[in-house]
Amino acid sequence: MSDPYVIKMPQLSDTMTEGVIVSWEKNIGDRVSRGDIVATVETDKAIMDVEVFREGYLSGPVAPVDSTVPVGEAIAYIVASSEEVQEGEAEAPAAPAAAETGGGEAQAQEGESAAAAEPAAAQAPAGSREPEGALHTIKMPQLSDTMTEGVVVSWEKQPGDEIKRGTVVAQVETDKAIMDVEVFKEGYLSGPIASVDSTVPVGEPLAYLVAESGQVVTGEAAPATAKPAGTTEAAASAPSASAAPSAPTSVPGGTPAPRPQGRGATPFARKIAGQQGVDLNTVPGSGPGGVVVAADVANARPAAGAAAPGGFPEVDVPGEGRKMNKLEAAISRSMTESLSIPSFHVTSHIKLGGLIKAAKAKGVSVTVAIAKACAEAMQQHPKMNWCYKPQDQLVERSNVDVGMAVAVEGGLVVPVLRGCESRSLEELNEDWQDLVERARKRRLKPEEYSGSTFQVSNMGMFGVSHFDAIATPGIAAILAISADTEQGSPFTITGDHRVVNGADVALYLKDLKELIEAPDAWMGPSGPAIPEGDWDYDVVVIGGGPGGEDCARDLAGHGHKVALINDSPFPGGECLWRGCIPSKAWRAAADRIRDRGHDADLGIQGTNQAKLEWKTLEAHRRNVLETRGQMALKTDKGVKINYIQGYGRFVDDHHVMIDTGGNQDDPHSRATAGDGKQTKTVSFGCAVIATGAPPFVPPIDGAREGLESGSVLTSDTVWMLDTPPKKLVVVGGGAIGVEMAQIFQDFGAEVTLLEAQDRILAEVEPEIAKHLTQVLNDDPRLSVHTAVKLEKISGKPGAVTAKYTDSEGKSHQLKADYVIMATGKRPEIDGLNLDKAGIATDGPAVKVDARCRTSVGHIFAIGDVIGGLMLAHTAAQQGRVAAMSILGEDMKYDQDKDCGVIFTRPEAGFVGLSVAQAKEKGIDAVEAKVPMNIDAKAMINREEHGLIKLVADKATGRIIGVHFLADHTDTLIGEAVMMVSAGLTLEQVGNAIHPHPTQTELFGELARRLLSRLRRSAKVKAK
Ligand SMILES: Cc1cc2nc3c(=O)[nH]c(=O)nc-3n(C[C@H](O)[C@H](O)[C@H](O)COP(=O)(O)OP(=O)(O)OC[C@H]3O[C@@H](n4cnc5c(N)ncnc54)[C@H](O)[C@@H]3O)c2cc1C
């Protein structure tokens, strides 16, 4: 009998120290396989699955449901045989969650405030002034973390008034605002009431509710409870906040503190402790069985207003002192607390002009636009939004709640604009208007001015040349904005060195600068991009492939004067002349040959001797290309695009020189750039770069010589073959290489595909790519070798040798007619003179934002030249995005909804995200898959290879990806594209009626299956 495998409580997040068992997904004695989910546990952040990667039988003792188990402790066991299984539950290592005194927050909603409702409030001295028949004491609520007392501003109800639940009975001034005192009980308001202007400590009576009107007592409370504001004596005799059992309040957000070792704590107590940095192990619990309740936390934390950390020396200052008002005192305290922060400053100059213009065009405040930009920049720099928490903890927050200082009478208030990371500018602006208006009247609620995760102070409008702000506990950084100068406004960040360092802040400021100086990228265009001017063309588009052509047509359709500069006699680009269309013409012929192989299964005899007549195929292919090229040119001219044959180069950011010296009549081959002797220059308002990406051949020994001699071919030159090769080496397992390899094997060649990576088709979902590799290797004349290194190519056309080493370092040599290098495509931007127009690059590609705008606001770039998915429909979509951006419309390219088909047999395809890609984006995704061999049509046609996968977002049920390996993917994918782009749910697809017998039925089936699985697991979890 071997030792049982211990299933331990996994650490599922950085902050997790323990987990609560939510459910057992397997029962004791169940057989468990690798990858099975055996239980779900609640961490500090979410309910998560516990997966095991062992095989065997689940054995006890298992941790009981609802028990809390520290990370690393056993929750169950796996044993080798069913005989070894043990029944029973383990003793819970910590107090079970169910034993806690619950309801902290629920109760809080019942009282007049969280302060009055916590159990601790019940212990507050009710005082002997309570009238007879008192049902309820209305106490001074603690309305902010720092509030210790409040001043009665007004009574909204008078003794004898009938009070309903939710009635506002009084207004009190806290240290930060004037707030309503609401009552959530019924009865008659009774005295003694605290007089207007009196100061009442938190938790002390303000008034009472009695059951009957006859029991009402009029009159004011004795000064012992309610002291006139401002009298030093009275203040001195008032019970101090630290002496009174202070009642806790909670602001939204924060991670609950871990439970104390071996004891329970109420959820509310954990929440408060988490927010206030209290270690629950150090807090004595007054609840049943030593459970820590919120009042214990409040009593344990350092009282607000206690001596400043470090015990600063009392300095004898000459002159008469005035007692600070509440706001002044609160600011003073928080500033003193800030002295515990090891801070530093970093400044960058940022030009605000563009942002001010864009904000104005959108009708939003510049302050809000700055807050949003700060949040956008945090996507790359999340640390800027964290904070230090004593002792030695970091709070990692994903919600960006920006506090922005507003000057009000008597000081500064910092209203918090919540959810800046996810809410639209318009929503934030609406909130901000309201917050500012109420901040000025000091009518903000505590949760509206506390709990910010980042702060901004803008003094630019006061003309200050430079200042820095003070970071206070709870944030890692505060941004101070000074007045505009020639180099821009100084943006100075004060950072907490325990959370961020100088480089973090410097990089954050760099990205913030980019966002603020190019606001259109994230705020949307503030109007058409074509600047005023007497331009030869409103827009010039350089490059006439699918990207450039679609862009030019959209712009011409909107009435703009457009020039399409392309170095070929016809438009169409690589897609038409050397890419998609010619390769699919070859694929069509290869399909016919391949399909004949199955004719006999359907009883068709005499068709399996298919023979390729190369010259006829080539004539057909060239005819299709030329016809389509002519059609495209005719359409371009018809929509009034000025098609100019020539090679475009930037002269500056409003002029392009067209070199016609390299022009040639043959559209099939790639043109040369020209020598600069025959040129003309035109001016433009906007430009779009759509120059594509030619094949890239890495510097492999003998490759360059092979390209020159013609023994090494690329996707530019393979079309010149007089006959199909008999033996071929294809280097590169991307879409082009894989398609070419299989086409030539179908044409009868013996083909070896060499790929340097350990898999083919990097953009394709891993299981699909793996399955396709097996299918390709099953083809009679095709073999795929991954993880190899091509060392050398030698020989001449018709007799080439390729040497490579395999993954184990063994050398091999292949003899072939030709080598096709399908080793990728790389934008060729050298000839464009991008620097003359000031256009930035990102590696070999032109750098753009999601609206296809380059670093120069009126110049755009699309298609292969910007990298990413190098596909024709991607280029075309980006062409439309650029056109819309030029027109001033808000449109973005979203790669998460893009798609692709690899035209092999069966075809591989994808739209949207795989599970792994979704997880990388923080989406909890699930997938369901179906093999093609269960489909009736696939069986009939002998097209049974492959599978289809549907990926959905668990939280929303939306379909976020569909992945294919199936014949007819090129057609089937259409429905998947609509699912993903429209964000259809599993329910919608599952309920849609699909025609029978078609393969589209599989979509409905997959959706219903996934839906039912999600429902079932939700039910198990709910149990
Ligand atoms: C063999 C092969 C098969 C393919 N199959 C598919 C497929 O099935 N599906 C798919 O979606 N994609 C496929 N592609 C990819 C597709 O062809 C490209 O992604 C697409 O053509 C890119 O479009 P584009 O507009 O960015 O650039 P291109 O189509 O490359 O057009 C750019 C044009 O600009 C011209 N040009 C370059 N520089 C200048 C200059 N300075 N001045 C003037 N003109 C210039 C070029 O000569 C070219 O005509 C395939 C590619 C290859 C090679």
Side-chain angles (χ1 to χ4, degrees), residues 743-824:
I743 286 169
F744 282 110
Q745 105 86 37
D746 287 345
F747 286 166
E750 234 172 74
V751 184
T752 308
L753 176 75
L754 301 177
E755 165 57 52
Q757 302 297 316
D758 58 6
R759 57 163 284 189
I760 60 165
L761 297 173
E763 72 278 28
V764 167
E765 201 270 348
E767 191 180 350
I768 302 278
K770 194 171 158 201
H771 205 110
L772 178 59
T773 310
Q774 287 161 2
V775 176
L776 294 176
N777 274 321
D778 285 346
D779 279 340
R781 292 174 296 278
L782 175 56
S783 59
V784 178
H785 301 273
T786 54
V788 304
K789 186 163 185 273
L790 180 62
E791 306 284 0
K792 188 178 164 90
I793 304 169
S794 55
K796 54 181 188 174
V800 198
T801 305
K803 283 189 183 155
Y804 71 94
T805 37
D806 64 20
S807 54
E808 283 154 13
K810 235 168 111 190
S811 294
H812 301 265
Q813 189 164 301
L814 294 166
K815 299 248 180 244
D817 299 341
Y818 296 96
V819 171
I820 296 181
M821 294 297 279
T823 36

Side-chain angles (χ1 to χ4, degrees), residues 542-548 565-567 572-575 578-580 583-584 646-648 670 690-693 715 719 736 740 832 862-864 870-873 875 903:
I542 310 172
I565 302 166
N566 191 37
D567 59 5
E574 177 186 88
C575 170
R578 296 170 296 279
C580 324
S583 62
K584 266 79 255 180
Y647 191 90
R670 201 174 279 277
T691 47
S715 61
W719 317 106
I736 296 171
M740 286 288 170
L832 285 167
I862 58 174
D864 286 2
M870 291 196 185
L871 294 167
H873 49 268
F903 291 81

